[in-house]
Amino acid sequence: MNDRRDFFKKLGILGLTSVVTKLNSQTISVENILDKISENSFVLPQLPYDYNALEPFIDEETMRIHHSKHHKAYVDKLNSISSTKFNFEINDQTKCNALKLGDAESIIIKNNLGGHVNHSLFWELLKPNPKANINQPNAKLLEAITKQFGTYEFFKKQFSEIATKHFGSGWCWLINEHGILKIVTTSNQDNPYMPKEISGYHSTSILLALDVWEHAYYLKYQNKRADYITNWWNIVNWEKAEELYLNSL
Ligand code: MN3
């Protein structure tokens, strides 16, 4: 009996170990995502899928323009600004929390740095789902969402409403702020990594990122932002969100 219990205990430990190893080998924390883009100069990250891979939910043309024109423009602009103008080390380029706004140029840096960081996160948090299979959060994040919002469906409804109602260009986020999950929006290219005085929130743990600028959906959805958001749920990369959540604990 004891042998048997030991055996199952060992199996349990082995099972756990393999999960942990697997997670570790796959883990891309926020810092890692940002590290990938923080080399000697600002680099446009490659998409982890083809431009047409998110069809039918986001069309190929939108993805191509969004990545190769809009995101690239933020990167090019950052690279055109002398590093002496940055009020933080160039190697810390992604540390939005070090931003200090003093003059017009620092606002340009904020806007383009935000654009670069936000889109880098956005791409990573999308994944193809051509067959429109059911797509919902993984275990731990689902548990946390349920605890915070009651049900996943209610969370989805709330997130969609807040994102739809955000006035003008901006982003909708799920953040972990000191153990409390919050749905928040920021305007333009601001994000919750930035100091509270800038974005209204400060969290180092973004779990979901949704671009609600018209350039993210207008070609396919025109003015129907709500339809874009409804479809976006099909292509949320919940594995990535789960990693970001586990890293935020
Ligand atoms: Mn965008």
Side-chain angles (χ1 to χ4, degrees), residues 124-185:
E124 293 271 350
L125 279 160
L126 296 174
K127 66 147 202 225
N129 182 10
K131 290 184 180 160
N133 294 327
I134 290 170
N135 191 32
Q136 59 172 26
N138 289 21
K140 292 290 178 195
L141 182 54
L142 182 61
E143 199 181 307
I145 285 173
T146 307
K147 191 173 161 225
Q148 193 75 50
F149 298 94
T151 62
Y152 170 59
E153 284 309 314
F154 183 69
F155 158 74
K156 227 174 125 174
K157 190 166 171 277
Q158 271 213 314
F159 190 101
S160 299
E161 274 177 21
I162 290 169
T164 303
K165 286 179 183 162
H166 178 80
F167 187 76
S169 296
W171 290 77
C172 190
W173 314 93
L174 177 66
I175 59 172
N176 182 358
E177 198 177 56
H178 312 300
I180 296 171
L181 299 192
K182 286 185 181 172
I183 302 163
V184 301
T185 63

Side-chain angles (χ1 to χ4, degrees), residues 66 70 74 119 122-123 171 189 211 213 215-216:
H66 201 172
H70 290 275
Y74 303 124
H119 287 88
F122 183 56
W123 310 133
W171 290 77
Q189 296 296 359
D211 189 342
W213 282 58
H215 69 223

Side-chain angles (χ1 to χ4, degrees), residues 4-141:
R4 229 179 127 198
R5 200 183 297 149
D6 278 354
F7 173 72
F8 282 112
K9 209 171 151 190
K10 272 178 195 155
L11 259 189
I13 290 167
L14 281 176
L16 189 67
T17 310
S18 73
V19 169
V20 170
T21 312
K22 201 173 157 209
L23 270 180
N24 281 340
S25 64
Q26 290 180 345
T27 290
I28 300 177
S29 65
V30 176
E31 288 74 18
N32 291 151
I33 290 172
L34 302 181
D35 276 352
K36 281 205 296 190
I37 55 175
S38 62
E39 287 166 14
N40 289 331
S41 60
F42 297 90
V43 177
L44 179 69
Q46 275 203 326
L47 291 188
Y49 36 72
D50 292 334
Y51 286 129
N52 65 0
L54 303 177
E55 299 260 12
F57 308 110
I58 300 182
D59 59 290
E60 178 175 357
E61 191 63 0
T62 298
M63 286 301 292
R64 188 185 306 280
I65 295 171
H66 201 172
H67 176 259
S68 72
K69 305 286 183 198
H70 290 275
H71 189 170
K72 184 172 184 292
Y74 303 124
V75 173
D76 289 349
K77 185 69 190 171
L78 287 172
N79 285 328
S80 77
I81 299 169
S82 160
S83 60
T84 58
K85 301 284 183 186
F86 288 76
N87 51 22
F88 47 92
E89 292 294 313
I90 192 83
N91 288 336
D92 292 335
Q93 61 191 261
T94 55
K95 286 189 179 167
C96 301
N97 59 6
L99 280 170
K100 288 191 191 78
L101 298 184
D103 52 21
E105 196 149 40
S106 66
I107 290 172
I108 293 172
I109 291 172
K110 178 199 74 147
N111 290 340
N112 289 282
L113 183 63
H116 183 30
V117 169
N118 297 352
H119 287 88
S120 299
L121 269 167
F122 183 56
W123 310 133
E124 293 271 350
L125 279 160
L126 296 174
K127 66 147 202 225
N129 182 10
K131 290 184 180 160
N133 294 327
I134 290 170
N135 191 32
Q136 59 172 26
N138 289 21
K140 292 290 178 195
L141 182 54

